[in-house]
């Protein structure tokens, strides 16, 4: 790549990072209480909730990852991502108003309110596992994406990206996270939208693209079986349902209606906007000879490096990794360097906006579910604010250190998703649609059985028969609930299973 | 095989939704400011 083009790309990225730091400092002035820091004062309008939800949704996997998948497998990869957006619409329409109406602070509060203290602690453990894993994965993605896109060494990219993210999240809390998310959302929409429009026009429309693409690229299932497509669609849908970053978007909205239309609107917008845009980008990458040459070159380099270092790397794995260069290469070979710089900033924005959401949620869980509940229930608001800020700093740095040692983003994310769905999705569904105090024991039993089943299926049996641990664990949790319900519905409940809440009294806003 | 007309329509909808959301994001703070100005008067 010419030096001038690289200089333009790096300056665009530097300017973008400087704006993020400025937003962090500006947001810090608005933070007066722990409620401002963790819930943005609960005054976020629906359109901003929509933008921050969408920005959190589009991470490294939904941008660079999905474009490379479409390039490799065809339209099926874009179709599967609809599962993410559909679960957001569902959450927004049916769950968000209920969560917002209760004035809660964390997911643990909701479980306490519905199923008692034991369910709360189980939910908190699940939230921590999910958020720590997702934070480490997104931190690692900052390093790998910047390394792939700009050629900056992984360690250096991780250090710069993580420092900026931790800084603005620590000083400005969720206010800074929401503000930076809006900026990241605007960059993403302008970047991806303009790129997809220019690419369709330059190729001469979809008919010309179809003629140039490989066989099966435009078929709805491509080369996959219907069962394979269904399993993956279901796994995508379950893995992200009701996860803490989306729950927080419900808590920070102005009121129930703003929560409902903000989260559901985010899902509708992404469903309309993202699958077709990623399909255009992935297809353009597939039919561009320069991109194909770059992928082959990258694959050869990976295989040569593996041979030199003695690392075990199959040709299939090398090909999968090599496809990650499809999006950045396409941007570089197709557009003017300035627009390519905007697009590259958009890619990095996508990853950073997902990392900051996880970090902010994790700090709230530590402040509310650990510190206030177990360490100092009488802590003043100022003290809690300091705890939340210190937690953000410490946890963010720990996430970056984890990302330094475990750079395989996909593996971390798969583990996190496998553990979330079996334990948390069914209790949420029951709490929202079929709640009764007599079902508390059965729900707690389903959480415990779901977690054990997923762990045994994944680590003990190594996921036989291509059935994922998330799907198996969810089925086991459902079965445990059905079996336990008639046996436990008439039992007298101990204090650990007694639904109660003091959330309305402790609302920091 | 997905028909070309469907993909073209989806693409127009996608671009329209992108523009609409950007307009809404600009309009939201502006409308709040106008409302505040009216209240101050």
């Amino acid at each position: 790549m010419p030096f001038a083009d690289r200089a333009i790309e790096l300056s665009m990225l530097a300017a973008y990072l400087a704006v993020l730091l400025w937003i962090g400092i500006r947001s810090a002035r608005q933070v007066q209480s722990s409620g401002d820091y963790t819930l943005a004062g609960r005054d976020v309008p629906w359109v901003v909730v929509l933008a921050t939800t969408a920005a959190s949704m589009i991470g490294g996997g939904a941008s660079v990852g999905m474009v490379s998948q479409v390039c490799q497998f065809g339209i099926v990869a874009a179709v599967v991502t609809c599962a993410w957006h559909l679960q957001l619409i569902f959450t927004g329409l049916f769950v968000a108003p209920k969560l917002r109406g209760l004035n809660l602070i964390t997911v643990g509060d909701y479980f306490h309110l519905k199923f008692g203290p034991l369910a709360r602690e189980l939910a908190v453990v699940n939230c921590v596992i999910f958020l720590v894993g997702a934070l480490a994965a997104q931190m690692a993605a900052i390093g790998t994406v910047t390394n792939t896109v700009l050629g900056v060494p992984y360690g250096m990219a991780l250090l710069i990206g993580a420092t900026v993210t931790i800084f603005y999240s620590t000083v400005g809390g969720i206010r800074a996270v929401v503000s930076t998310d809006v900026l990241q959302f605007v960059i993403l929409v302008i970047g991806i939208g303009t790129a997809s429009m220019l690419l369709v026009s330059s190729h001469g429309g979809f008919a010309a693209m179809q003629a140039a693409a490989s066989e099966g690229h435009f078929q709805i299932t491509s080369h996959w079986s219907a069962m394979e497509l269904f399993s993956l669609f279901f796994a995508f849908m379950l893995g992200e349902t009701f996860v803490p970053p989306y729950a927080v978007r419900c808590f920070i909205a102005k009121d129930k209606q703003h929560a409902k239309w903000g989260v559901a609107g985010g899902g509708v917008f992404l469903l309309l906007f993202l699958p077709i845009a990623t399909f255009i980008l992935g297809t353009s990458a597939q039919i561009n000879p320069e991109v194909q040459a770059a992928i082959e070159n990258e694959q050869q380099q990976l295989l040569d490096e593996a041979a030199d270092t003695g690392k075990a790397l199959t040709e299939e794995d090398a090909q999968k990794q090599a496809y990650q260069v499809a999006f950045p290469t396409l941007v570089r070979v197709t557009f003017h360097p300035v627009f390519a710089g905007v697009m590259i900033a958009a890619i990095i924005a996508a990853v950073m906006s997902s990392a900051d959401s996880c970090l902010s949620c994790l700090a709230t869980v530590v402040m509310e579910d650990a510190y206030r509940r177990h360490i100092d229930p009488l802590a003043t608001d100022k003290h809690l604010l300091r705890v939340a800020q210190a937690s953000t700093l410490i946890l963010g740095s720990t996430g970056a250190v984890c990302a330094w040692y475990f750079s395989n983003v996909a593996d971390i994310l798969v583990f996190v998703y496998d553990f979330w769905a079996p334990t948390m999705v069914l209790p949420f569904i029951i709490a929202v649609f079929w709640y009764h105090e007599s079902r508390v024991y059965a729900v707690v039993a389903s959480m415990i059985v779901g977690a054990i089943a997923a762990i045994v299926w994944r680590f003990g049996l190594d996921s036989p028969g291509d059935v994922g641990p998330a799907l198996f664990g969810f089925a086991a949790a459902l079965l445990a609930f059905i079996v336990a319900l008639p046996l436990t519905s008439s039992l007298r409940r101990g204090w650990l299973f007694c639904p109660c809440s003091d959330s309305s009294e402790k609302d920091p806003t | 095989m997905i028909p070309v007309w469907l993909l073209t329509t989806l693409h127009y909808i996608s671009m329209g939704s992108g523009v609409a959301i950007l307009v809404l994001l600009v309009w939201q703070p502006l409308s709040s400011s106008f409302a505040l100005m009216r209240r101050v008067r």
Side-chain angles (χ1 to χ4, degrees):
Chain A
M1 183 173 41
F3 176 76
D5 290 2
R6 187 174 164 78
I8 289 172
E9 286 178 5
L10 287 172
S11 344
M12 298 290 286
L13 183 64
Y16 167 67
L17 294 178
V19 173
L20 290 184
L21 291 173
W22 176 73
I23 290 174
I25 294 165
R26 200 169 148 267
S27 304
R29 289 186 208 144
Q30 295 175 296
V31 175
Q32 307 292 334
S33 65
S34 66
D36 284 333
Y37 193 80
T38 56
L39 297 164
R42 294 199 205 268
D43 66 351
V44 181
W46 74 271
V47 69
V48 177
V49 174
L50 184 156
T52 177
T53 307
S56 301
M57 166 79 245
I58 310 173
S63 53
V64 177
M66 273 309 138
V67 171
S68 69
Q69 294 270 308
V70 171
C71 181
Q72 202 175 354
F73 301 113
I75 198 167
V76 67
V79 172
V80 166
T81 61
C82 294
W84 289 332
H85 316 320
L86 289 172
Q87 68 82 17
L88 263 186
I89 296 172
F90 176 83
T91 305
L93 291 179
F94 301 108
V95 183
K98 293 190 179 181
L99 285 182
R100 179 61 188 88
L102 293 165
N103 279 339
L104 305 174
I105 301 170
T106 64
V107 170
D109 285 342
Y110 188 63
F111 274 65
H112 194 161
L113 176 75
K114 296 288 179 182
F115 306 117
L118 182 60
R120 179 201 187 105
E121 300 308 333
L122 291 171
V124 169
V125 170
N126 269 298
C127 288
V128 169
I129 291 172
F130 179 88
L131 290 168
V132 167
L135 175 66
Q138 294 301 339
M139 287 280 186
I142 292 176
T144 47
V145 167
T146 315
N147 174 250
T148 311
V149 170
L150 288 173
V152 179
Y154 175 81
M156 171 78 84
L158 175 64
L159 183 71
I160 296 171
T163 305
V164 172
T165 310
I166 293 167
F167 175 80
Y168 71 71
S169 303
T170 303
V171 298
I174 191 86
R175 280 203 186 274
V177 169
V178 169
S179 306
T180 51
D181 276 358
V182 172
L183 172 71
Q184 286 153 350
F185 175 78
V186 170
I187 295 175
L188 275 167
V189 172
I190 293 176
I192 293 178
T194 314
S196 68
M197 207 167 60
L198 293 175
L199 286 166
V200 171
S201 148
S202 70
H203 288 301
F206 282 101
M209 288 171 84
Q210 193 174 12
S214 67
E215 199 195 332
H217 191 85
F218 277 66
Q219 271 172 9
I220 195 96
T221 57
S222 292
H223 303 291
W224 298 7
S225 70
M227 186 61 203
E228 214 172 352
L229 180 61
F230 174 77
S231 301
L232 201 62
F233 191 87
F234 195 65
F236 270 41
M237 187 176 259
L238 278 183
E240 291 246 339
T241 303
F242 312 131
V243 295
Y246 304 143
V248 167
R249 267 68 194 168
C250 306
F251 299 147
I252 65 173
K254 261 183 182 171
D255 56 31
K256 286 182 187 183
Q257 290 303 312
H258 282 269
K260 180 179 181 177
W261 296 115
V263 177
V268 171
F269 171 73
L270 288 171
L271 190 65
L272 295 177
F273 182 78
L274 203 59
I276 189 76
T278 40
F279 174 64
I280 291 165
L281 293 167
T283 308
S284 303
Q286 203 212 41
I287 59 183
N288 188 310
E290 284 179 84
V291 177
Q292 287 304 316
I295 292 168
E296 280 169 28
N297 190 26
E298 178 74 11
Q299 186 182 350
Q300 197 50 52
Q301 267 186 20
L302 287 167
L303 287 168
D304 290 346
E305 270 174 31
D308 289 346
T309 54
K311 205 173 88 180
L313 183 73
T314 64
E315 200 154 317
E316 197 184 340
D317 285 341
Q319 191 188 36
K320 203 172 149 187
Q321 280 184 43
Y323 265 97
Q324 300 292 322
V325 301
F327 191 5
T329 311
L330 174 75
V331 166
R332 282 202 188 102
V333 299
T334 318
F335 302 120
H336 185 273
V338 174
F339 186 65
V342 173
M343 286 296 297
I344 282 163
I347 295 170
I348 292 162
V351 190
M352 288 176 84
S353 60
S354 299
D356 65 18
S357 291
C358 293
L359 183 54
S360 167
C361 288
L362 199 50
T364 308
V365 168
V366 169
M367 182 199 84
E368 185 57 34
D369 292 323
Y371 193 83
R372 175 137 81 167
R373 189 164 164 74
H374 296 295
I375 299 171
D376 187 1
L378 300 172
T380 60
D381 190 69
K382 201 163 191 173
H383 189 68
L384 288 172
L385 177 60
R386 294 280 167 264
V387 170
Q389 285 173 325
S391 307
T392 312
L393 184 62
I394 294 165
L395 293 164
S397 310
T398 312
V401 171
C402 290
W404 177 271
Y405 289 105
F406 309 103
S407 59
N408 198 333
V409 183
D411 282 356
I412 306 172
L413 276 179
V414 165
F415 170 75
V416 162
Y417 287 160
D418 284 348
F419 206 73
W420 178 262
T423 43
M424 299 294 282
V425 175
L426 185 66
F428 250 117
I429 291 170
I430 289 163
V432 172
F433 297 106
W434 202 50
Y435 181 73
H436 192 271
E437 287 190 10
S438 64
R439 293 173 192 138
V440 169
Y441 275 127
V443 165
V444 175
S446 83
M447 290 176 82
I448 295 167
V449 170
I452 294 170
I455 290 168
V456 170
W457 193 255
R458 183 185 165 93
F459 297 107
L461 303 171
D462 207 17
S463 308
D466 285 337
V467 177
L471 201 57
F472 179 79
F474 183 77
L478 185 62
L479 187 68
F481 178 77
I482 293 166
V483 171
L485 189 58
L487 300 174
T488 58
S489 57
S490 56
L491 288 180
R492 201 169 155 266
R493 279 186 305 281
W495 68 273
L496 270 177
F497 301 91
C498 196
C500 54
S501 173
D502 55 350
S503 59
S504 55
E505 290 162 24
K506 72 188 177 193
D507 184 355
T509 58
Chain B
M1 189 79 77
I2 296 187
V4 166
W5 65 264
L6 181 60
L7 288 169
T8 310
T9 312
L10 288 173
H11 188 217
Y12 285 140
I13 294 170
S14 164
M15 293 303 100
S17 64
V19 172
I21 207 69
L22 291 177
V23 170
L24 269 172
L25 268 173
V26 174
W27 177 246
Q28 178 82 34
L30 281 180
S31 66
S32 304
S33 306
F34 291 148
L36 190 69
M37 278 162 65
R38 274 198 297 273
R39 274 205 295 275
V40 169
R41 273 183 206 160

